[in-house]
Amino acid sequence: MHEVAQIDRETLSVDTLGLHLEEAKHLLEKVQAVLVDEQVRTCLAEQVACPSCGRARAHKDTKTIVTRTLFGTLHLRSPRWRQCPCQPRTTRTFSPLAAGLPERTTPELLYLESKFAGLVSYGLSARWLAETLPIGRPLYASAVRLHAQATGERLESELGPEQSMFADGCQLDWDELPRPDLPLTVGLDGGYVHSSQQRSRRDGWFEVIAGKSMPTDGPAKCFGFVQTYDIKPKRRLFEVLKSQGMQMNQQVTFLTDGGEDVRDLPLYLNPQAEHLIDWFHITMRLTVMSQMAKGLRSRDNPELAAEVLKELARLKWLLWHGNVFRALQTIEDLQIDLDNTEHPSPEQQKLLKVVTEFGGYVRANGAWIPNYGEKYRSGEAISSAFVESTVNQVVSKRMVKKQQMRWAPKSAHLLLQVRAKVLNDELAPAFQRWYPAFDVPAESAVAQELAA
Ligand SMILES: [Zn+2]
């Protein structure tokens, strides 16, 4: 019998009802301490006898092992025993507890630290965990960061080697495969995060690629990597697609914003890959221009705002139908209208600049602007970002919320691996793979809410 706590209450009211958080934390810590005492005692009792002759090994000295758990920081007394002289041994002493506990943080704590850090800042993760659990000694943001990064490293170590080409086999083999399901759609997008290794104004930022892969049915999966750090971008993307059942004869549609770096990636992955500009990125740009046009005031042409809005609507219609040629003509008309006044306002000049940039964008990406309307009507995917951009979902929400957050490419990359696993509900299965006795319920609704 162990008495772990005594709880006193006076009159019943809503604030005296049941356990207080501090009491519950104290209780958990005490209950675990009793359990741990018992586990340590049993472990030592089972191992004290020499496996060869059965005699008890002699005690040499005792060290303290500090192990962090969700329910307190444990200071375990770890005895060192002399090896039994009945047999030749490679070592002179033996510490059974230290041998049994090579890691000094329990997987459950590691898991929660990694999971929270995948969703919110390291500092907030540390505070939340310390507030709700009897963690024991103070939990610092730096410790959460180290642990989350270690989880990222471990996830990375499971990724197979990079290959120049993942499309193995040839057309003949692919024709033999059973007909796959409807196309897989992959959205790829680039974003920038603030660099901590800034030496000049130019290297103040580095690019992060985010992606989302959507099978026709089943959940979407996201992924991310730091372009300049990652040496296995193709393998990474390949594994995501494979886990969603991609076959070599599967049609995969890549939707991007048109950047060169993301445009090349699909080619190596799948012989049936098709690349298109994500409709989301076109419509976002058009929305920005329309907002700007609404605010136009021109002394020379009072109708300017209305005319420009009409032309933008026409431009959208032309692009929706994949008519790049006439879309470019309409952009020229817009440029002329915006340039054709004697006293252009600053807003007007700004819009002219944006329209001109958009013209360059459409010209550079014309080959990958399909007839969206037709594809849409036949049920094909034309956008991977229905509500918000993939890069915002995967990268920005965690990494660029605050401008002052600065990242090293490596730590940004590793955190992205953890974040992707959290968003994909794959972190708990990874821990189960690493620690067979690890047992937590599947990703909680709370995490889903936070991620959304
Ligand atoms: Zn012996």
Side-chain angles (χ1 to χ4, degrees):
M1 278 287 273
H2 296 272
E3 184 175 322
V4 290
Q6 185 186 336
I7 291 158
D8 301 313
R9 285 289 187 279
E10 291 175 4
T11 33
L12 176 90
S13 68
V14 74
D15 49 341
T16 62
L17 185 66
L19 286 173
H20 289 151
L21 179 59
E22 284 313 309
E23 289 166 348
K25 285 162 77 171
H26 183 72
L27 206 60
L28 281 170
E29 192 176 0
K30 292 288 178 194
V31 170
Q32 177 174 268
V34 173
L35 173 64
V36 167
D37 265 356
E38 206 52 51
Q39 286 180 292
V40 169
R41 213 192 328 273
T42 310
C43 164
L44 295 178
E46 278 170 359
Q47 297 195 49
V48 70
C50 165
S52 311
C53 70
R55 261 180 298 176
R57 287 179 268 211
H59 182 88
K60 182 167 187 284
D61 55 12
T62 301
K63 296 204 162 152
T64 300
I65 293 180
V66 179
T67 301
R68 299 204 68 153
T69 80
L70 286 178
F71 312 111
T73 302
L74 307 174
H75 297 262
L76 305 175
R77 289 172 57 77
S78 165
R80 198 147 60 129
W81 296 331
R82 292 181 203 285
Q83 293 283 22
C84 180
C86 73
Q87 301 277 329
R89 313 269 175 191
T90 48
T91 54
R92 299 171 69 181
T93 60
F94 169 59
S95 305
L97 214 52
L101 300 170
E103 289 176 63
R104 298 300 151 81
T105 306
T106 57
E108 280 195 321
L109 176 54
L110 211 54
Y111 168 73
L112 283 187
E113 286 175 316
S114 305
K115 180 168 163 178
F116 278 118
L119 296 167
V120 296
S121 72
Y122 296 122
L124 196 53
S125 303
R127 285 203 296 280
W128 276 3
L129 286 169
E131 191 172 324
T132 49
L133 290 160
I135 295 282
R137 60 181 191 194
L139 184 60
Y140 297 109
S142 54
V144 174
R145 182 180 164 277
L146 271 176
H147 287 156
Q149 298 275 313
T151 300
E153 298 257 20
R154 197 155 182 184
L155 290 167
E156 281 296 82
S157 72
E158 293 188 320
L159 195 65
E162 183 71 324
Q163 283 167 224
S164 62
M165 200 58 112
F166 278 94
D168 30 285
C170 65
Q171 191 64 48
L172 233 69
D173 302 335
W174 302 329
D175 291 344
E176 303 257 301
L177 291 169
R179 284 247 42 87
D181 293 335
L182 291 157
L184 259 170
T185 307
V186 182
L188 279 171
D189 199 355
Y192 285 84
V193 303
H194 223 156
S195 169
S196 61
Q197 295 162 350
Q198 182 170 13
R199 265 161 272 116
S200 68
R201 260 180 92 164
R202 250 188 67 244
D203 63 11
W205 300 81
F206 60 87
E207 193 179 21
V208 176
I209 306 288
K212 194 160 70 176
S213 163
M214 302 171 298
T216 318
D217 38 40
K221 281 189 185 180
C222 62
F223 55 91
F225 55 90
V226 172
Q227 183 90 332
T228 48
Y229 173 79
D230 195 10
I231 49 165
K232 302 175 177 178
K234 294 172 218 156
R235 164 68 76 169
R236 187 177 311 285
L237 181 50
F238 179 76
E239 292 298 335
V240 173
L241 301 184
K242 215 177 71 182
S243 76
Q244 291 178 310
M246 177 185 75
Q247 291 178 193
M248 277 306 152
N249 61 341
Q250 177 115 38
Q251 198 197 329
V252 184
T253 305
F254 286 89
L255 300 165
T256 78
D257 192 18
E260 268 174 71
D261 38 3
V262 290
R263 224 163 45 202
D264 293 342
L265 198 55
L267 298 174
Y268 304 97
L269 285 167
N270 183 299
Q272 311 285 329
E274 175 192 26
H275 171 249
L276 303 174
I277 300 296
D278 194 324
W279 175 248
F280 176 81
H281 294 297
I282 293 181
T283 180
M284 278 305 287
R285 286 175 160 87
L286 287 165
T287 304
V288 169
M289 288 186 275
S290 297
Q291 289 301 329
M292 292 171 80
K294 276 179 197 155
L296 280 185
R297 302 283 175 269
S298 171
R299 269 204 281 156
D300 316 321
N301 177 4
E303 301 298 311
L304 185 65
E307 282 170 15
V308 167
L309 280 167
K310 225 173 107 187
E311 278 172 322
L312 284 171
R314 186 176 144 74
L315 178 58
K316 186 170 184 175
W317 190 88
L318 288 167
L319 288 169
W320 175 252
H321 291 96
N323 196 334
V324 175
F325 181 73
R326 282 175 63 202
L328 286 169
Q329 284 178 335
T330 306
I331 289 168
E332 265 176 53
D333 292 346
L334 273 165
Q335 286 173 301
I336 291 166
D337 287 347
L338 286 166
D339 206 19
N340 209 11
T341 56
E342 261 181 71
H343 309 283
S345 62
E347 290 77 31
Q348 193 177 329
Q349 285 169 318
K350 213 172 134 195
L351 180 55
L352 175 60
K353 192 171 163 255
V354 175
V355 167
T356 304
E357 279 165 8
F358 186 64
Y361 176 78
V362 171
R363 209 167 293 118
N365 292 299
W368 305 288
I369 295 177
N371 186 332
Y372 294 103
E374 199 180 279
K375 285 190 172 284
Y376 181 74
R377 280 190 300 279
S378 63
E380 291 176 51
I382 53 167
S383 178
S384 63
F386 303 103
V387 190
E388 62 175 323
S389 79
T390 305
V391 76
N392 187 39
Q393 232 175 342
V394 181
V395 181
S396 309
K397 273 195 170 165
R398 172 66 179 87
M399 303 174 96
V400 277
K401 230 179 208 165
K402 293 186 196 134
Q403 287 293 304
Q404 65 267 36
M405 282 213 275
R406 289 171 177 275
W407 297 88
K410 182 183 177 182
S411 54
H413 179 81
L414 292 176
L415 179 63
L416 272 174
Q417 305 321 309
V418 176
R419 177 160 172 81
K421 290 285 184 240
V422 175
L423 297 178
N424 295 344
D425 285 350
E426 292 171 328
L427 190 62
F431 271 79
Q432 264 144 15
R433 218 162 41 237
W434 302 333
Y435 305 98
F438 176 83
D439 185 24
V440 295
E443 300 292 317
S444 68
V446 179
Q448 299 302 322
E449 289 291 314
L450 275 168

